[in-house]
Amino acid sequence: MRVRFAEWTFDAATRELRRGEDVLHVPPKAFDLLHVLIAGRPRVFTKSELMRPIWPDTFVSEATLAALVGDLREIFGGGARASTILRTAHGVGYAFCAEAVKDGQPAASSLCFRLVCGRREIDLPEGDHVIGRATGCLVWLDAPGVSRRHARLSVRGDRVVVEDLGSANGTWTPFSGASGSRTSSAR
């Protein structure tokens, strides 16, 4: 099973999770959890349904499962961004909730935008995408003038809005015409 969602590609056969061209390190049990959730999407799995295939014939506490979910959310960027991929059904379990397509199939909606950063080209599907120095950002820029969470690109239909996230040096876009703008939009 090979599935694409947002900027990630999950490949069960090679046991890889890729973000663009980069292969991410996913602990084995966290990978197994993600596999179960993706294969059964969008169904909510109870905690016991998730624990059985991951730890057969072994007793583990629900805290161990919660820690694995936390590991996956950290890989997906943490916070609200991660909750658009993994959903908690409080008191019940977890579900994979990102829009996903089997690799090789066209996405449900056509891709409108692509960000070019040096030699990298990054698809920008609908949704919010953070640029910064934090490793969970869509565009990771290791430069002294870039904040950990520098700016957000919000893609909605045929429009992209660039929003500064309170960075120390501000955000400039060719669409705003002024350095340090707080919000800009592009078509």
Side-chain angles (χ1 to χ4, degrees):
M1 171 177 63
R2 187 176 166 113
V3 176
R4 288 181 293 124
F5 56 98
E7 65 267 20
W8 289 279
T9 303
F10 174 87
D11 191 332
T14 62
R15 291 191 62 86
E16 290 179 335
L17 179 65
R18 292 180 173 268
R19 183 175 184 196
E21 295 300 315
D22 300 327
V23 177
L24 303 175
H25 171 71
V26 180
K29 295 293 186 186
F31 190 91
D32 294 341
L33 171 62
L34 185 58
H35 188 185
V36 171
L37 292 170
I38 289 174
R41 70 185 185 280
R43 178 177 169 245
V44 173
F45 286 87
T46 66
K47 294 171 186 175
S48 62
E49 286 176 316
L50 291 171
M51 292 165 65
R52 270 189 300 259
I54 298 169
W55 295 283
D57 304 321
T58 305
F59 174 79
V60 295
S61 72
E62 288 182 4
T64 306
L65 178 61
L68 278 186
V69 171
D71 290 346
L72 288 173
R73 286 186 171 144
E74 186 66 30
I75 289 167
F76 293 131
R81 180 183 179 105
S83 66
T84 64
I85 297 170
L86 298 178
R87 180 172 69 89
T88 300
H90 294 284
V92 179
Y94 302 96
F96 182 87
C97 60
E99 184 178 325
V101 294
K102 288 185 179 175
D103 203 24
Q105 293 179 341
S109 59
S110 62
L111 183 66
C112 293
F113 297 96
R114 174 171 284 166
L115 178 67
V116 178
C117 183
R119 292 187 298 223
R120 292 172 31 203
E121 291 187 19
I122 302 165
D123 292 338
L124 295 175
E126 286 272 333
D128 295 332
H129 312 286
V130 177
I131 298 172
R133 281 187 298 120
T135 56
C137 293
L138 170 68
V139 180
W140 181 71
L141 300 173
D142 188 21
V146 176
S147 300
R148 287 180 38 78
R149 291 178 42 85
H150 196 93
R152 177 183 5 254
L153 301 173
S154 297
V155 178
R156 304 285 184 270
D158 67 344
R159 183 177 159 106
V160 176
V161 175
V162 179
E163 176 186 4
D164 185 86
L165 296 176
S167 64
N169 294 319
T171 300
W172 177 88
T173 70
F175 311 108
S176 65
S179 179
S181 69
R182 291 293 171 204
T183 305
S184 303
S185 65
R187 286 186 181 256

